[in-house]
Amino acid sequence: MLASRPKQHVLRVLRRSHTSSSPDSSSPTPSSSPSSSWIHLRSVLLVVASSSSSSSSSSSPISTNRGHLQSPWSRKRRKHAVQPKQWRSLFDEDGRLCDGGVKFLKKVRSGGVHPSLRAEVWTFLLGVYDLKSSKEERDAVKTKNRKEYEKLRKQCQETYKLREKTTEINKICESDSKDDCTDGGEVIDQSSPENQTDSVKLDEVGDGNEIACKSESESSDSDSSEECDGTGPEKTTQESDTTSSNTEGKTINPHKSESFATWQRIIRLDAIRANDEWIVYTPSQAAVDSAKAHELAESVCLKDYTHLEACRIFHAARLVSILEAYALYDSEIGYCQGMSDLLSPIISVVEDDSEAFWCFVGFMKKARHNFRLDEVGIRRQLNIVSKIIKGKDSHLYRHLEEMQAEDCFFVYRMVVVLFRRELNFEQTLCLWEVMWADQTAIRAGITKSGWGKMRLRAPPTDDLLLYAIAACVLQRRKQIIEKYSSMDEILRECNSMAGHLDVWKLLDDAHDLVVTLHDKI
């Protein structure tokens, strides 16, 4: 385990040192590029942890009775979640949310959402549909979004065909030992328009290919001023092409980033080993027909899945489909290990691939800075966690300083995948819903006047996750101060939290911290 390694090595890993040791044997090594330490970091922090999270979840059986929302992990009465009848009553005759969605957000912030409503409600929380939109306007957006998603998937399909065709040509070249490869007596020109997609151009096929793809300006994280430095989030190489073109009025920015082929390979590896915790909560997808699962797997060129049951094959294929489309949509980010952890709960709830994709796009607008090589977003968040702990408990902070852990790198994994490893499936959804409600309130301009209407002590904040992480550490202040004297021990404690957190107590403590420190941080 990571926590058992020497302190110096742990710090080197967390800071992405290029001299860190080789990753765990269960982790893939998809690239030998200069930024392979980034892949190594993902493997250490995200992949190695999967075994411990799986064991902890298996030791705590989860009830399959989800007919009510009483929280089995909560030590106190949970506030009521938004119920189907309440949800319907929040709309007027035109299908608009009454009072701009203030009452709706208040209810989500205090109690979450009934499972049967999540697929519909999340489209509002994640910005797929505007809070003030009518049903007619949402239908128009849905149609437009579906067409764009289908176009992205078509581009992915074209890469499969082009790669297969080039592979066949290469085999012919090798067997014939010819300098010029021909097909039916004619030289194959891969640069010709008929051998390219609309906005995807593969200069080479395989590990060294480069891809030029659409990256819409709205996909950039405009909420973090640190990200406006023009460098862009990267994972495997930080070179970018300065050329650009225009198709249908939209900017296309070619990027010499990690090859799309490599992204595809990593996506498939992560999709195959995605955990099955969601199965209990998604009966319809758990009962998917084997033929349907295999058909979808073949359509996305997913292989090596024979050891999986049908529902997991289906889930993995959906992960591949949506993550590939996202890699094209946001080419600056592309794909990085950890993103599948964020998408898995979404596709478990939202069964329509197009809507699931746009929910993920909305989610990533806030989470995408977690996947940057320059660490700007991660450093900012760890710094905020550190400030919260310092502002709330100076004694604990001094103890962290003595251990040289005041930078809070021991909560790195919590930040990157938003508590996904520390909470079970249902708890994760509850935390994310409350977090998204805060972000939606801010996006909708529900500020000081809105706080009064919502009658909540804590104002909405974009950083609720960070307050929850700080609350998690503060809940363990006694053992940290009395028992722990090294970074290794704190890391071990953080890794052992899985399955032992009370999500509603965590949120209550986080809101208390927001009330106390929001204006000071």
Side-chain angles (χ1 to χ4, degrees):
M1 289 295 293
L2 177 61
S4 64
R5 298 182 179 181
K7 177 180 177 182
Q8 291 80 2
H9 175 70
V10 170
L11 289 174
R12 284 201 303 273
V13 170
L14 290 173
R15 292 189 174 94
R16 300 176 177 79
S17 168
H18 289 286
T19 59
S20 56
S21 61
S22 60
D24 184 86
S25 59
S26 63
S27 307
T29 307
S31 174
S32 58
S33 63
S35 60
S36 59
S37 59
W38 176 248
I39 302 299
H40 168 56
L41 174 69
R42 295 292 169 187
S43 300
V44 172
L45 292 180
L46 306 178
V47 178
V48 173
S50 62
S51 59
S52 61
S53 61
S54 299
S55 61
S56 61
S57 61
S58 62
S59 62
S60 303
I62 303 173
S63 173
T64 58
N65 180 14
R66 308 305 300 170
H68 59 82
L69 279 184
Q70 182 67 31
S71 303
W73 59 85
S74 184
R75 292 189 293 271
K76 62 180 181 179
R77 183 181 177 83
R78 175 182 174 178
K79 298 171 186 177
H80 294 295
V82 177
Q83 299 294 313
K85 185 176 180 180
Q86 290 177 314
W87 173 244
R88 290 190 295 271
S89 70
L90 293 175
F91 291 88
D92 63 20
E93 58 183 11
D94 292 326
R96 298 181 190 274
L97 280 167
C98 303
D99 67 9
V102 172
K103 185 177 181 180
F104 156 61
L105 293 177
K106 171 189 174 182
K107 289 184 175 296
V108 176
R109 291 186 81 208
S110 64
V113 180
H114 189 280
S116 66
L117 295 174
R118 280 178 170 148
E120 185 178 356
V121 171
W122 285 10
T123 58
F124 288 89
L125 294 180
L126 290 167
V128 178
Y129 304 129
D130 189 271
L131 284 177
K132 299 179 181 179
S133 63
S134 66
K135 184 179 185 304
E136 183 179 357
E137 291 169 336
R138 291 194 294 274
D139 287 343
V141 171
K142 184 175 184 178
T143 300
K144 177 178 176 293
N145 284 348
R146 186 176 301 280
K147 288 180 179 178
E148 188 164 356
Y149 175 71
E150 288 174 353
K151 182 178 179 180
L152 289 168
R153 281 306 312 158
K154 181 180 178 181
Q155 293 171 5
C156 293
Q157 293 288 343
E158 290 297 326
T159 66
Y160 305 157
K161 296 177 183 177
L162 184 56
R163 185 167 296 110
E164 182 180 354
K165 183 175 183 179
T166 307
T167 300
E168 292 175 357
I169 294 171
N170 289 339
K171 289 180 179 178
I172 294 173
C173 290
E174 292 175 1
S175 61
D176 295 345
S177 300
K178 294 181 179 180
D179 294 331
D180 296 321
C181 300
T182 62
D183 183 9
E186 296 182 0
V187 176
I188 299 299
D189 182 5
Q190 292 182 37
S191 64
S192 62
E194 62 269 22
N195 289 326
Q196 297 184 22
T197 63
D198 292 337
S199 60
V200 178
K201 179 173 57 183
L202 298 180
D203 298 322
E204 298 176 15
V205 177
D207 293 346
N209 69 335
E210 298 170 356
I211 184 167
C213 50
K214 178 173 66 178
S215 177
E216 298 198 29
S217 58
E218 69 176 16
S219 71
S220 62
D221 187 0
S222 58
D223 298 288
S224 297
S225 59
E226 297 93 337
E227 304 218 25
C228 298
D229 55 8
T231 58
E234 303 148 316
K235 298 179 307 311
T236 51
T237 164
Q238 293 185 311
E239 300 177 18
S240 64
D241 197 333
T242 58
T243 62
S244 63
S245 59
N246 189 279
T247 300
E248 299 179 353
K250 296 183 179 180
T251 301
I252 300 175
N253 297 316
H255 294 277
K256 289 183 179 178
S257 57
E258 172 63 35
S259 69
F260 190 63
T262 303
W263 286 340
Q264 289 176 312
R265 185 167 63 254
I266 304 171
I267 287 171
R268 282 161 177 73
L269 287 170
D270 287 351
I272 289 296
R273 66 184 174 207
N275 67 52
D276 59 357
E277 192 179 10
W278 58 271
I279 294 177
V280 173
Y281 301 90
T282 316
S284 61
Q285 294 187 52
V288 67
D289 180 75
S290 178
K292 183 178 179 180
H294 284 82
E295 181 182 358
L296 183 59
E298 291 177 7
S299 72
V300 297
C301 295
L302 183 65
K303 304 180 186 300
D304 303 324
Y305 55 77
T306 53
H307 63 289
L308 299 177
E309 54 188 317
C311 61
R312 291 191 64 187
I313 296 171
F314 184 73
H315 188 81
R318 292 189 69 204
L319 283 173
V320 170
S321 180
I322 294 173
L323 289 171
E324 279 188 340
Y326 184 80
L328 290 180
Y329 177 84
D330 186 356
S331 61
E332 286 186 316
I333 290 294
Y335 178 76
C336 187
Q337 285 181 309
M339 289 168 62
S340 60
D341 289 275
L342 304 186
L343 176 59
S344 181
I346 292 178
I347 66 172
S348 301
V349 169
V350 184
E351 298 192 7
D352 180 87
D353 280 4
S354 174
E355 288 201 334
F357 170 78
W358 291 106
C359 283
F360 186 62
V361 168
F363 193 2
M364 286 297 292
K365 284 181 180 179
K366 292 294 183 182
R368 71 192 298 273
H369 52 252
N370 288 355
F371 302 96
R372 292 182 53 146
L373 256 187
D374 61 14
E375 298 184 303
V376 169
I378 294 294
R379 286 201 302 268
R380 169 194 167 272
Q381 293 175 89
L382 293 177
N383 185 47
I384 290 176
V385 174
S386 178
K387 286 182 178 180
I388 294 171
I389 294 174
K390 183 178 181 180
K392 181 64 176 179
D393 193 330
S394 58
H395 185 193
L396 173 60
Y397 185 79
R398 283 196 299 271
H399 184 67
L400 294 177
E401 283 185 312
E402 292 173 1
M403 293 187 292
Q404 298 182 7
E406 72 277 9
D407 53 12
C408 291
F409 269 90
F410 52 88
V411 298
Y412 185 99
R413 189 180 72 188
M414 297 182 192
V415 171
V416 173
V417 288
L418 294 83
F419 260 121
R420 183 64 192 94
R421 295 290 187 179
E422 287 69 36
L423 299 173
N424 67 32
F425 185 84
E426 174 69 14
Q427 290 175 316
T428 299
L429 303 191
C430 291
L431 175 65
W432 286 2
E433 286 167 349
V434 177
M435 178 183 72
W436 292 339
D438 268 23
Q439 294 170 356
T440 303
I442 292 174
R443 188 170 62 245
I446 303 174
T447 53
K448 292 185 178 180
S449 60
W451 299 346
K453 293 178 182 178
M454 295 170 80
R455 298 178 182 178
L456 291 175
R457 292 183 303 145
T461 171
D462 273 329
D463 296 321
L464 182 61
L465 172 78
L466 307 182
Y467 284 94
I469 291 173
C472 182
V473 176
L474 289 164
Q475 287 176 358
R476 287 157 176 74
R477 70 175 304 275
K478 184 175 181 181
Q479 53 261 54
I480 291 175
I481 292 174
E482 296 180 357
K483 299 180 181 179
Y484 302 152
S485 58
S486 71
M487 171 74 83
D488 288 359
E489 293 172 324
I490 301 181
L491 279 167
R492 189 179 298 112
E493 173 67 24
C494 290
N495 288 340
S496 66
M497 290 179 185
H500 301 286
L501 291 174
D502 178 339
V503 69
W504 292 104
K505 177 64 168 64
L506 194 65
L507 283 167
D508 284 341
D509 289 354
H511 283 136
D512 287 341
L513 289 173
V514 173
V515 171
T516 306
L517 301 171
H518 182 267
D519 294 332
K520 300 177 182 178
I521 299 301

